[in-house]
């Protein structure tokens, strides 16, 4: 198979769409806000929490995410988990290098920071699975002393449908103080 590089047409299209896309106007209902230890974020009701058994079926790894939210049919998902040993100078750079080493077909579309209520570092890329191409947005943020790693994934053919929602999710992440109750 021929190596895919960052000069591919879909890289250009992804970057152009992000620049010219208008943010979606979505109402965020109270029940769509998810509260965790030290942080909260908006996850649309199209995503439902999934259990450990479902996570084991999707991720063939011993390192399962702490939290998994899936759409009906399990085609798109959001994961959240605490990270250890984070390089605070460049939290995404090392991850990008690792992804490219694991599979040299990985195509990175961009990386940067999203400024919402807190700073969220992100990496947008295309990876490959047994049954096709996968659109991914990996994001990292700090909540208190913890660093949180999140991912969004869906079939590459559906990225246009989900991309605006993913960026809206990143802008809603906020730190919450633990009340100690």
């Amino acid at each position: 198979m021929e190596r895919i590089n960052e000069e591919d047409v879909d890289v250009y299209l992804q970057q152009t769409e992000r620049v010219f896309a208008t943010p979606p106007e979505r109402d965020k209902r109270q029940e769509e806000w998810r509260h965790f230890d030290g942080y909260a974020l908006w996850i649309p009701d199209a995503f439902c929490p999934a259990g450990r058994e479902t996570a084991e079926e999707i991720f063939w790894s011993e390192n399962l995410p702490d939290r998994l939210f899936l759409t009906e049919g399990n085609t798109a998902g959001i994961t959240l988990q605490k990270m250890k040993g984070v390089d605070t100078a460049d939290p995404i750079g090392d991850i990008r290098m690792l992804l490219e080493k694991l599979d040299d077909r990985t195509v990175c579309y961009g990386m940067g920071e999203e400024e919402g209520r807190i700073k969220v570092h992100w990496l947008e890329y295309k990876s490959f699975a047994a049954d096709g191409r996968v659109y991914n947005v990996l994001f990292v943020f700090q909540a208190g002393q913890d660093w949180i790693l999140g991912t969004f994934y869906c079939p590459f053919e559906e990225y246009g449908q989900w991309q605006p929602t993913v960026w809206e999710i990143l802008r809603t992440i906020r730190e919450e103080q633990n009340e100690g109750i």
Side-chain angles (χ1 to χ4, degrees):
M1 179 177 265
E2 185 178 334
R3 177 169 168 73
I4 298 173
N5 62 44
E6 290 188 5
E7 296 175 9
D8 287 340
V9 173
D10 61 344
V11 171
Y12 174 75
L13 292 174
Q14 289 269 348
Q15 292 171 347
T16 303
E17 286 178 3
R18 187 170 49 249
V19 167
F20 293 107
T22 55
E25 291 295 324
R26 297 196 57 159
D27 291 330
K28 295 172 184 69
R29 297 188 341 254
Q30 188 62 34
E31 56 270 12
E32 292 178 311
W33 283 91
R34 311 297 175 141
H35 301 270
F36 303 107
D37 187 26
Y39 67 98
L41 72 159
W42 170 76
I43 298 178
D45 61 4
F47 292 87
C48 297
R52 186 165 181 82
E53 287 181 17
T54 304
E56 288 172 349
E57 292 172 10
I58 295 172
F59 302 102
W60 298 354
S61 170
E62 293 178 12
N63 300 323
L64 297 175
D66 299 333
R67 311 249 187 243
L68 173 62
F69 298 87
L70 295 169
T71 57
E72 187 175 331
N74 300 347
T75 59
I78 298 170
T79 69
L80 297 164
Q81 61 194 42
K82 289 183 181 180
M83 291 179 63
K84 292 181 175 75
V86 177
D87 176 7
T88 57
D90 185 15
I92 291 292
D94 290 340
I95 295 172
R96 178 180 180 165
M97 288 182 5
L98 179 62
L99 287 171
E100 290 172 342
K101 282 181 185 178
L102 290 173
D103 187 347
D104 64 358
R105 299 174 298 165
T106 300
V107 179
C108 292
Y109 298 119
M111 55 192 274
E113 298 171 357
E114 190 68 28
E115 291 285 348
R117 294 183 182 199
I118 63 173
K119 185 185 295 188
V120 179
H121 307 270
W122 57 266
L123 171 65
E124 182 181 34
Y125 65 99
K126 174 175 62 176
S127 63
F128 296 84
D131 46 346
R133 302 171 301 166
V134 180
Y135 171 75
N136 302 273
V137 177
L138 183 141
F139 53 98
V140 176
F141 61 93
Q142 189 171 10
Q145 297 300 312
D146 295 323
W147 281 87
I148 309 299
L149 169 68
T151 58
F152 168 84
Y153 64 89
C154 71
F156 189 79
E157 295 75 21
E158 295 179 12
Y159 87 83
Q161 168 191 343
W162 289 111
Q163 193 178 40
T165 303
V166 173
W167 298 116
E168 183 67 13
I169 291 169
L170 296 184
R171 285 189 286 274
T172 67
I173 299 171
R174 65 184 185 215
E175 192 170 1
E176 291 190 336
Q177 300 300 320
N178 295 332
E179 299 296 322
I181 297 176

